[in-house]
């Protein structure tokens, strides 16, 4: 191949901020993409990866300016005028946007939006375009009739499929996928990955996948480039990046991502990326790198060939000896967490009495329908969000509640604190029956149970400084005088590793990074010395490199201080790494519960097996074929019998009649009538194969 | 889809009817809460005997229980009887009909002009945000928004009084002219008051449409539209404006509903014999039945317009269907 499909040389992007500061968002990026090739562009927020593809589309905001050279099929694209750039958009380079985004216009039908670019670019007349829309929708696994539906009538996964269909409308040569699976459920994520994989190989397009999610790249892209602080720090074959990274950032980034292989250590990267509004002297990663030496702070390393097919920008590669350790050794700094060691010293066995016991909890939300219901009659229909959940949590134990969105995990957690009233069932906390308490009696109890929320950008009052935020709980509960509160606040900040506390006390939330904010949120819970922490997706809004730090902090609080933690997550890898026990929820029920090892290593419920198979591995050599399922039904229409049977790959006729209950025994329990038989052949469902 | 549309219309309609009923009842209670009854007012003449008071009370039906009065009030209302004006002894309804017929053309002209112009300026200033166009348009809109209406009216009279008629709605000497001539004459009289109405409403529309448009412009689907390679104008009208105007519908409905309420200040300044002027006079003469009637019509009109806006919203925004 003499000439690549897309060739980017020396791309730079600047954004002008108010007050005449300039942010140098992309620095000297080179990128090549051949026909039919797939390249991953990996980086955390602010690494410049989105700016790169926006520059390729010619869609930088008006404050942006750029330099460099972009050749698409040998044709320069940056120099052409808006008119010809416009004609090329979608026709030659189409995009799939982030799954969570509102990429579809809410007031137009899906079909209208797929047809629109074909008509605008004149690739088809109206009749052809309509027919092609049907074909495209069917190609991405949606019924052709979806064309007449509006975006809000589709589920998240269906919308993302429709977006893929829309991107294919004009048969583009290059497909840019910007975080295509972010914020989708694991099962849906796996489906979209498979779909992109199929479509890209079938149509022979060049695909650039932009993501912070390494397993997605490992699964989809044979080649990848890692971006940090606006520059490509390493690029090459994905498995080389994973197995023999030649830049410390790549290595640390892979190590920060948990996956299902238990026991491998996960560590976060200390510090935060540099500010891009001032010139960077030396290597941009040097302040966070523990292998750096003098030259790193003075001279900027250039991207250079370190192996026949791997490029890296790191001075260490010019050192004679093996300074950059291969991934197999784990001799890196002190930041590593050691969940397994902690498990061994004070596991769940040491503290016997359950601190929290839920029995047969039900949470219902009213559905109002029909013309007269608004008159205030009792609603006839309910959504049973939680339908008979029983759980126990001991002191010093971390329980992970896992499930797809809508499975009732958040409602269960809220029922613990009676933030939603359970319709039936009991909650016992430290021997007291929470469900019987009056509102007044509930207050002292709420102090002992604290919540940590998903989004540290929303959960902190932007007008309070750190001291005010952390102190708030003490003030509200009238605990301590001013000086004692001061002491407690400092201690809480130290416990979440924001030290020295003086550096943080007077800061406002917007002056902190995402990870620091979440630490402040945890500190404001810890200051009340709770016995139970309920963490609702505590890291899903954070950057990959800081996630592990927050999770190991929670794990330490749990195992060293004896705080019980209930962690809600949709991310099985996270649960596998940090929790002691796992409860898998499906449509308001717990379908499997047990220790992490039992559930992850030897899952017994078909649903757990499906979930596990859907998790992509961070190691590109492990290519498990996920089991594909339809989407989760709504909790308003719970199927008869086993609620999983319509999606279950193993379902038998009796499954639609028998409603299996969780086995009454202790330990690893499962709610599936087939489980005793399936156990004899555990490998039947999860067919993980290791590629040679 | 169709069933849910009918459901929706029915539900909203029922809600509107309930609102109107509550307003009607509130109207009844309100005017009975005023200190003193109508009888004390009338029998304030010296030497009024208790017998005289009773006679008056009996004549107006005030000796009956409040419930009976309420029922009668409702019955009469259903027959379109709004009572009799104290000021000119004519039925309130016929008074109001004349006034409304005078008001509606003038205020509608101003309101509709404000809606159209305000939408255009709002969209334009959002699309060209932080440019001279934006600053100029929003600045002008804000200035007119903050002027007191009567002052604005007076300034217009000073400025344009020499070329345009400044009071009343007809030239008094135009008698026996063909219909089109008097229509033209009325239109001519309408210009200044309508202009005032428009200018006072304009700012509100410019600002609301501008912020709605800016919000829609930052939506992800607008980025999709641009990525599709659409022309700027197509992105603006098909994707941005279509969504930005959804929240504006409610504001439009409210303004249209208030047309029936007239424009008290404008009508007073320009001596326009409309409902605003009538209300102003009714207040100064304590003409309660007139006030009650005007109040009732205004609320019904606002409720009905809101109902229509809800139905329109249903058509415009597919998400409301559920």
């Amino acid at each position: 191949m003499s000439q690549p499909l897309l060739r980017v040389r020396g791309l730079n992007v600047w954004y002008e901020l108010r007050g005449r500061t300039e942010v140098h968002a992309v620095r000297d990026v080179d990128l090549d993409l051949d026909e039919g090739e797939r390249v991953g562009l990996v980086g955390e927020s602010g690494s410049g990866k989105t700016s790169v593809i926006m520059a390729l589309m010619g869609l930088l905001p008006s404050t942006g300016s750029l330099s460099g050279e972009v050749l698409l099929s040998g044709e320069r694209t940056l120099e052409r005028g808006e008119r010809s750039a416009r004609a090329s958009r979608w026709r030659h380079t189409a995009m799939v946007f982030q799954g969570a985004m509102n990429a579809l216009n809410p007031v137009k039908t899906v079909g209208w939006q797929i047809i629109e670019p074909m008509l605008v670019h004149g690739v088809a007349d109206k009749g052809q375009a309509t027919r092609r829309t049907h074909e495209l929708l069917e190609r991405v696994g949606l019924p052709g009739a979806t064309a007449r539906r509006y975006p809000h009538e589709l589920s998240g996964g269906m919308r993302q499929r429709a977006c893929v269909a829309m991107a294919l409308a004009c048969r583009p040569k290059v497909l840019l996928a910007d975080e295509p699976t972010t914020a989708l459920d694991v099962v849906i994520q796996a489906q979209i990955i498979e779909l992109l994989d199929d479509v890209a190989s079938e149509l022979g397009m060049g695909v650039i996948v932009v993501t912070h999610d390494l397993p997605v790249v490992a699964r989809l892209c044979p080649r990848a480039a890692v971006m940090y602080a606006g520059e490509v720090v390493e690029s090459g074959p994905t498995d080389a990046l994973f197995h023999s990274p030649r830049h410390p950032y790549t290595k640390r980034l892979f190590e920060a991502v948990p996956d299902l292989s238990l026991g491998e250590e996960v560590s976060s990267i200390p510090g935060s990326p540099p500010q891009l509004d001032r010139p960077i002297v030396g290597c941009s990663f040097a302040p966070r790198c523990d292998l750096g030496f003098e030259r790193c702070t003075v001279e900027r390393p250039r991207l250079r060939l370190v192996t026949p097919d791997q490029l890296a920008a790191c001075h260490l590669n010019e050192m004679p000896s093996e300074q950059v350790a291969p991934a197999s050794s784990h001799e890196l700094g002190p930041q590593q967490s050691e969940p397994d060691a902690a498990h061994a010293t004070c596991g769940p066995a040491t503290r016997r009495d359950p601190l929290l016991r839920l029995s047969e909890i039900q949470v219902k939300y009213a559905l109002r329908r029909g013309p007269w219901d608004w008159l205030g009659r009792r609603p006839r229909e309910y959504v049973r969000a939680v339908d008979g959940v029983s759980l126990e949590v001991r002191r010093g134990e971390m329980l992970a509640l896992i499930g797809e969105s809508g499975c009732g995990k958040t409602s269960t957690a809220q029922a613990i604190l009676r933030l939603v009233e359970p319709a039936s069932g009991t909650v016992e906390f430290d021997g007291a029956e929470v469900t019987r308490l009056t509102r007044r009696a509930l207050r002292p109890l709420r102090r002992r149970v604290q919540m940590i929320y998903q989004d540290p950008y929303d959960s902190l009052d932007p007008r309070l400084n750190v001291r005010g935020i952390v102190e708030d709980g003490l003030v509200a509960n009238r605990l301590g005088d001013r000086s004692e509160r001061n002491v407690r606040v400092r201690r809480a900040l130290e416990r979440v590793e924001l030290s020295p506390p003086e550096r943080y006390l007077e800061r406002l939330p917007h002056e902190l990074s995402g990870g620091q904010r979440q630490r402040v949120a945890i500190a404001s819970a810890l200051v009340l010395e709770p016995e139970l922490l309920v963490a609702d997706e505590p890291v899903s809004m954070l950057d990959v490199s800081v996630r592990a730090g927050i999770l190991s902090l929670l794990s330490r609080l749990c195992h060293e201080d004896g705080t019980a933690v209930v962690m809600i997550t949709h991310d099985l890898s996270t649960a596998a790494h940090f929790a002691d026990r796992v409860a898998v929820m499906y449509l308001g029920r717990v379908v499997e519960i047990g220790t992490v090892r039992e559930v992850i290593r030897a899952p017994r419920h078909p649903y757990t097996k499906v979930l596990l198979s859907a998790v992509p591995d961070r190691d590109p050599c492990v290519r498990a074929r996920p089991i594909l399922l339809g989407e989760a039904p709504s909790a308003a229409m719970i199927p008869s019998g086993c609620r999983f049977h319509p999606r279950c790959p193993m379902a038998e006729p009796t499954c639609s009649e028998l409603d299996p209950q969780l086995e009454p025994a202790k330990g690893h329990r499962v709610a599936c009538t087939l489980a005793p038989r399936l156990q004899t052949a555990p490998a039947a469902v999860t067919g993980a194969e290791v590629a040679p | 889809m169709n069933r849910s549309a009918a459901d929706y219309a029915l539900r909203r309609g029922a809600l509107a009817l309930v609102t109107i009923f509550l307003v009607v009842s509130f109207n009844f209670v309100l005017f009975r809460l005023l200190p003193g009854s109508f009888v004390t007012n009338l029998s304030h003449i010296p030497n009024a005997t208790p017998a005289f008071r009773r006679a008056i009370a009996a004549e107006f039906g005030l000796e009956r229980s409040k419930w009976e009065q309420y029922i009668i009030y409702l019955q009469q209302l259903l027959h379109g009887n709004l009572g009799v004006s104290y000021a000119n002894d004519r039925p309130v309804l016929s008074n109001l009909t004349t006034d409304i017929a005078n008001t509606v053309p003038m205020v509608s002209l101003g309101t509709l002009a404000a809606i159209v112009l305000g939408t255009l300026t709002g969209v334009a200033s959002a699309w060209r945000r932080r440019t001279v166009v934006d600053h100029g348009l929003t600045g002008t809109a804000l200035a007119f928004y903050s002027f007191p209406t009567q002052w604005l009216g007076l300034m217009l009279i000073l400025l344009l009084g020499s070329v345009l008629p400044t009071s009343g709605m007809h030239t008094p000497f135009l008698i026996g002219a063909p219909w089109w001539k008097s229509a033209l004459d009325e239109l001519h009289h309408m210009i200044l008051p309508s202009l005032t109405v428009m200018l006072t409403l304009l700012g509100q529309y410019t600002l609301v449409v501008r912020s709605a448009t800016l919000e829609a412009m930052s939506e992800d689907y607008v980025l999709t539209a641009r990525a599709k390679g659409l022309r700027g104008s197509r992105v603006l009208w098909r994707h941005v404006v279509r969504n930005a105007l959804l929240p504006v519908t409610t504001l439009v409905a409210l303004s249209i509903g208030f047309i029936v309420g007239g424009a008290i200040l404008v009508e007073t300044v320009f001596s326009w014999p409309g409902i605003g002027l009538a209300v102003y006079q009714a207040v100064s003469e304590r003409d309660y039945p007139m006030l009650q009637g005007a109040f009732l019509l205004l609320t019904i009109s606002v409720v009905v317009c809101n109902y229509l806006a809800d139905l329109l919203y249903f058509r415009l925004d597919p998400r409301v269907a559920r």
Side-chain angles (χ1 to χ4, degrees), chain B residues 264-297:
Chain B
I264 295 183
L265 291 171
V266 176
E267 289 181 10
T268 313
V269 170
F270 292 95
S271 312
W272 191 266
I275 197 159
L277 196 59
V279 165
Y280 171 70
Q281 281 160 357
V283 168
S284 43
E285 292 164 11
R286 304 273 186 281
D287 191 349
Y288 293 145
M290 267 302 278
L291 279 179
Q292 202 171 348
F295 183 42
L296 193 68
L297 275 188

Coordinates of all heavy atoms in Angstrom, one line a residue, chain B residues 264-297:
Chain B
I264 N -54.1 48.0 28.9 CA -54.6 49.1 29.6 C -53.9 50.4 29.4 O -54.4 51.4 29.0 CB -54.7 48.8 31.2 CG1 -55.6 47.6 31.4 CG2 -55.1 50.0 32.0 CD1 -55.8 47.2 32.8
L265 N -52.5 50.3 29.5 CA -51.8 51.5 29.4 C -51.8 52.1 28.0 O -52.0 53.3 27.8 CB -50.3 51.3 29.9 CG -50.2 51.0 31.3 CD1 -48.8 50.5 31.7 CD2 -50.5 52.2 32.1
V266 N -51.6 51.2 27.0 CA -51.6 51.7 25.6 C -52.9 52.3 25.3 O -53.0 53.3 24.7 CB -51.2 50.5 24.7 CG1 -51.3 50.9 23.2 CG2 -49.8 50.0 25.0
E267 N -54.0 51.6 25.6 CA -55.4 52.1 25.3 C -55.6 53.4 25.9 O -56.4 54.2 25.4 CB -56.4 51.0 25.6 CG -56.3 49.8 24.6 CD -57.4 48.8 24.9 OE1 -58.3 49.0 25.7 OE2 -57.2 47.7 24.3
T268 N -55.2 53.5 27.2 CA -55.4 54.8 27.9 C -54.6 55.9 27.2 O -55.2 57.0 26.9 CB -55.0 54.7 29.3 OG1 -55.5 53.5 29.8 CG2 -55.5 55.9 30.1
V269 N -53.3 55.7 26.9 CA -52.5 56.7 26.2 C -53.1 57.1 24.9 O -53.2 58.3 24.6 CB -51.1 56.2 26.1 CG1 -50.3 57.2 25.2 CG2 -50.4 56.1 27.4
F270 N -53.6 56.1 24.1 CA -54.1 56.4 22.8 C -55.6 56.5 22.7 O -56.1 56.6 21.6 CB -53.6 55.4 21.8 CG -52.1 55.4 21.6 CD1 -51.2 54.6 22.3 CD2 -51.5 56.3 20.7 CE1 -49.9 54.6 22.1 CE2 -50.1 56.3 20.5 CZ -49.3 55.5 21.2
S271 N -56.2 56.6 23.9 CA -57.7 56.7 23.9 C -58.4 55.7 23.0 O -59.3 56.0 22.2 CB -58.2 58.1 23.5 OG -57.5 59.0 24.2
W272 N -57.9 54.5 23.0 CA -58.4 53.4 22.1 C -59.6 52.8 22.9 O -59.4 52.3 24.0 CB -57.4 52.4 21.9 CG -57.7 51.4 20.8 CD1 -58.3 50.2 21.0 CD2 -57.5 51.5 19.4 NE1 -58.5 49.5 19.9 CE2 -58.1 50.3 18.8 CE3 -57.0 52.5 18.6 CZ2 -58.0 50.1 17.5 CZ3 -57.0 52.3 17.3 CH2 -57.5 51.1 16.7
P273 N -60.8 52.9 22.3 CA -62.0 52.4 23.1 C -62.1 50.9 23.2 O -63.1 50.3 22.9 CB -63.1 53.0 22.3 CG -62.6 53.0 20.9 CD -61.1 53.3 21.0
G274 N -61.1 50.3 23.8 CA -61.1 48.9 23.9 C -61.3 48.4 25.3 O -61.7 49.2 26.2
I275 N -61.0 47.2 25.5 CA -61.3 46.6 26.8 C -60.4 47.1 27.9 O -60.8 47.2 29.1 CB -61.3 45.0 26.7 CG1 -62.1 44.5 28.0 CG2 -60.0 44.5 26.7 CD1 -62.6 43.1 27.7
G276 N -59.2 47.4 27.6 CA -58.3 47.9 28.5 C -58.8 49.3 29.1 O -58.8 49.5 30.3
L277 N -59.2 50.1 28.2 CA -59.8 51.4 28.6 C -61.0 51.2 29.4 O -61.2 51.9 30.5 CB -60.1 52.2 27.4 CG -60.3 53.7 27.6 CD1 -59.1 54.4 28.2 CD2 -60.6 54.4 26.3
A278 N -61.9 50.2 29.0 CA -63.1 49.9 29.8 C -62.8 49.5 31.2 O -63.4 49.9 32.1 CB -63.9 48.8 29.0
V279 N -61.8 48.6 31.3 CA -61.4 48.1 32.6 C -60.9 49.3 33.5 O -61.2 49.5 34.7 CB -60.3 47.1 32.5 CG1 -59.6 46.8 33.9 CG2 -60.9 45.8 32.0
Y280 N -60.1 50.2 32.9 CA -59.6 51.3 33.6 C -60.7 52.2 34.1 O -60.8 52.6 35.3 CB -58.7 52.1 32.6 CG -58.3 53.5 33.1 CD1 -57.4 53.5 34.2 CD2 -58.8 54.6 32.6 CE1 -56.9 54.8 34.6 CE2 -58.4 55.9 33.0 CZ -57.5 56.0 34.1 OH -57.1 57.2 34.5
Q281 N -61.7 52.4 33.2 CA -62.9 53.2 33.6 C -63.7 52.5 34.7 O -64.2 53.1 35.7 CB -63.8 53.5 32.4 CG -63.2 54.7 31.6 CD -63.7 54.8 30.2 OE1 -64.5 53.9 29.8 NE2 -63.2 55.8 29.5
A282 N -63.9 51.1 34.5 CA -64.6 50.4 35.5 C -64.0 50.4 36.9 O -64.7 50.5 37.9 CB -64.8 48.9 35.0
V283 N -62.7 50.4 36.9 CA -62.0 50.5 38.2 C -62.3 51.8 38.8 O -62.6 51.9 40.0 CB -60.5 50.3 38.0 CG1 -59.7 50.6 39.3 CG2 -60.2 48.8 37.7
S284 N -62.2 52.9 38.0 CA -62.3 54.2 38.7 C -63.8 54.5 39.0 O -64.0 55.3 39.9 CB -61.8 55.3 37.7 OG -62.2 55.1 36.4
E285 N -64.7 53.8 38.4 CA -66.1 54.0 38.8 C -66.7 52.9 39.6 O -67.9 52.8 39.9 CB -67.0 54.1 37.5 CG -66.7 55.3 36.7 CD -67.2 55.2 35.2 OE1 -68.0 54.3 35.0 OE2 -66.8 56.1 34.4
R286 N -65.9 52.0 40.1 CA -66.3 50.9 41.0 C -67.4 50.1 40.3 O -68.4 49.7 40.9 CB -66.8 51.3 42.3 CG -65.9 52.2 43.1 CD -64.9 51.3 44.0 NE -64.1 52.1 44.8 CZ -63.0 52.8 44.4 NH1 -62.6 52.7 43.1 NH2 -62.3 53.5 45.2
D287 N -67.2 49.8 39.0 CA -68.2 49.1 38.2 C -67.9 47.6 38.3 O -67.4 47.0 37.4 CB -68.2 49.6 36.8 CG -69.4 49.1 36.0 OD1 -70.1 48.2 36.5 OD2 -69.6 49.6 34.8
Y288 N -68.3 47.0 39.5 CA -67.9 45.6 39.7 C -68.4 44.6 38.7 O -67.6 43.8 38.2 CB -68.4 45.1 41.1 CG -67.7 45.8 42.2 CD1 -68.4 46.1 43.4 CD2 -66.4 46.2 42.1 CE1 -67.8 46.8 44.4 CE2 -65.8 46.9 43.1 CZ -66.4 47.2 44.3 OH -65.8 47.8 45.3
P289 N -69.6 44.6 38.2 CA -70.0 43.6 37.2 C -69.1 43.7 36.0 O -68.8 42.6 35.4 CB -71.5 44.0 36.9 CG -71.9 44.7 38.1 CD -70.8 45.4 38.6
M290 N -68.8 44.9 35.5 CA -67.9 45.0 34.4 C -66.6 44.3 34.6 O -66.1 43.6 33.8 CB -67.7 46.5 34.0 CG -68.6 47.1 33.0 SD -68.5 46.2 31.4 CE -67.1 47.0 30.7
L291 N -66.0 44.7 35.8 CA -64.7 44.1 36.2 C -64.8 42.6 36.2 O -63.9 41.9 35.7 CB -64.3 44.6 37.5 CG -63.6 46.0 37.6 CD1 -63.3 46.4 39.0 CD2 -62.4 46.0 36.7
Q292 N -65.9 42.1 36.9 CA -66.0 40.7 37.0 C -66.1 40.0 35.6 O -65.5 39.0 35.4 CB -67.4 40.4 37.8 CG -67.5 39.1 38.4 CD -68.7 39.1 39.3 OE1 -69.3 40.1 39.6 NE2 -69.0 37.9 39.8
G293 N -66.9 40.6 34.7 CA -67.0 40.1 33.4 C -65.7 40.1 32.6 O -65.3 39.1 32.0
A294 N -65.0 41.2 32.7 CA -63.7 41.3 32.0 C -62.7 40.3 32.5 O -62.0 39.6 31.7 CB -63.1 42.7 32.1
F295 N -62.7 40.2 33.8 CA -61.8 39.2 34.5 C -62.1 37.8 34.0 O -61.2 37.0 33.7 CB -62.0 39.4 36.0 CG -61.1 38.5 36.8 CD1 -59.8 38.4 36.5 CD2 -61.7 37.9 38.0 CE1 -59.0 37.6 37.3 CE2 -60.9 37.1 38.8 CZ -59.5 36.9 38.5
L296 N -63.4 37.5 34.0 CA -63.8 36.1 33.6 C -63.4 35.8 32.1 O -62.8 34.8 31.9 CB -65.3 36.1 33.7 CG -65.9 34.7 33.6 CD1 -65.5 33.9 34.8 CD2 -67.4 34.8 33.5
L297 N -63.7 36.8 31.2 CA -63.3 36.5 29.8 C -61.8 36.4 29.7 O -61.4 35.5 28.9 CB -63.8 37.7 29.0 CG -65.2 37.7 28.5 CD1 -65.5 38.8 27.5 CD2 -65.5 36.3 27.9

